[in-house]
Amino acid sequence: MKSHKSAQSQKGKSRKTSDTVIFRLTRQRQEHINTLADSLAKIAPTTVYWEGSFSIETLARDWGLYKYFKKQRNKKNDLRLFLSNVFRYRVRTPKQLVIEIVKRGMQWKANQGETVGDELLGDIAKEMAALGFDIEKELTALERPAPSKLCLPGAVILRAFKALPFHQKVMQEDIINLFTSGQYNEAVRKCFERLEATVQGICTDLKSEYGKDLMSKAFSETNPRIKITLCRNQEEINTQQGIRFMAMGAMMSIRNPTSHGDKGQMNVGEAIELIGFASYLFKLVDKRIEDNSG
C-alpha cells in the first residue's frame, strides 16, 4: 500500500515538473511574443478544416505540443497564447518551431501565388533575438519556393463579369482587382468575409460571434436578428430556416476553406458562381424586415 502511494506521489511529481515554468514571461517578453505571433500569422493559418493541411494547430499536434494550443475568441489570440505557452514551458523548442512555421509558411504563401519578403523575415528574426534566440542565419538559408502561376481571366470573361448585376459589396475595387489578377480564392474569401462583417454590423449583440455560429443566430427562425420573413406560418419559417442553413454553409464550406493556402486555386467559372452566391446573400440581407416595434 505504501509502495502504491509512493508511486502515485512520484507520478504526480513528474507530471508537475513537465509543466514547470522555465521561461518567465515578463511584460516586455510578452509584448515581443505577441508581435512575433502577429508576424507569423501573416504566413501561417492558425486552423484548417480538412485533415493533413498545414496550420499552427496541426503543427502543434505533430510536435506533441497540442496541450499548449487552447482556442480563444479569435485566431490572433490562439497563436499568441500557443507561443506564450511554448516559450514558458518548453524553452528548447521555440527556435526550431518558429523556423518550421516559417519554412512551411513560405510554401503556404507560394500556393497562394505570393512570396515572403525580407522585411517580414527580418521582423520575425528581430523578435526572436529580443527573446534570446538567434535564427537570422537559419531564416536567410531557407529556400523560398516559387509562387504558383495564376490563370488570368480572358478579356471576354472579364467584361462579362464586370457587367453582371451583382451586389455592390462584391463588386468593389479590391475584389475586382483580385479577380482580374487570377486570385480567385482570395476574391471569393473577401466576399464572404465582407458578408460576415456586414452581418456583425447589423446584429450589434453578436459582434463577438463569427462564422457559422454568427449566421445561425443572426438568421434564426426562432429569434431572428435578421428577418427575411415574419415566420408567421410554416412556409415562412421554412424559408427563414433555409436561408440560415445557406448562410451557415457559406461560412463552413466557402469562407473557411478559402482562408487557407493549402486549397488549390479554383477556376474562373467556380469563382464567378461563388461570388454570385455571396451577392445573393447580400441582397437577401438588404431585403430584411426591419423591426420597428421599438
Side-chain angles (χ1 to χ4, degrees), residues 197-216:
T198 298
V199 171
Q200 285 177 323
I202 294 169
C203 308
T204 54
D205 63 326
L206 299 178
K207 286 188 179 295
S208 62
E209 298 287 346
Y210 298 90
K212 71 178 181 65
D213 292 337
L214 169 67
M215 298 303 170
S216 180

Side-chain angles (χ1 to χ4, degrees), residues 192 195 199 206 210-229 231 234-253 277 280-281 284-285:
F192 288 94
L195 175 68
V199 171
L206 299 178
Y210 298 90
K212 71 178 181 65
D213 292 337
L214 169 67
M215 298 303 170
S216 180
K217 293 175 182 177
F219 293 98
S220 167
E221 62 274 17
T222 56
N223 181 29
R225 276 72 161 186
I226 298 179
K227 295 180 182 178
I228 307 303
T229 75
C231 296
Q234 193 60 49
E235 183 179 353
E236 291 182 350
I237 291 172
N238 290 346
T239 299
Q240 181 78 30
Q241 186 181 57
I243 292 167
R244 174 167 70 90
F245 288 154
M246 281 196 292
M248 290 171 65
M251 294 295 106
M252 296 173 69
S253 66
F277 180 42
Y280 173 70
L281 292 175
L284 286 175
V285 171

Side-chain angles (χ1 to χ4, degrees), residues 33 76 81 83 105 128 149 151 191 194 223 228 247 266:
I33 289 173
K76 177 191 287 188
L81 180 60
L83 287 182
M128 286 293 285
K149 295 179 180 180
C151 182
C191 289
R194 194 158 290 160
N223 181 29
I228 307 303
M266 66 182 70

Side-chain angles (χ1 to χ4, degrees), residues 108-123:
W108 181 70
K109 295 298 285 185
N111 291 344
Q112 295 180 308
E114 301 176 35
T115 57
V116 177
D118 292 334
E119 184 178 355
L120 181 58
L121 293 180
D123 290 342

Side-chain angles (χ1 to χ4, degrees), residues 2 25 43 76 137 180 191 201 238 246 254 267 270 285:
K2 185 176 180 180
L25 295 188
I43 61 172
K76 177 191 287 188
K137 289 182 180 179
T180 302
C191 289
N238 290 346
M246 281 196 292
I254 303 173
N267 61 48
E270 186 179 2
V285 171

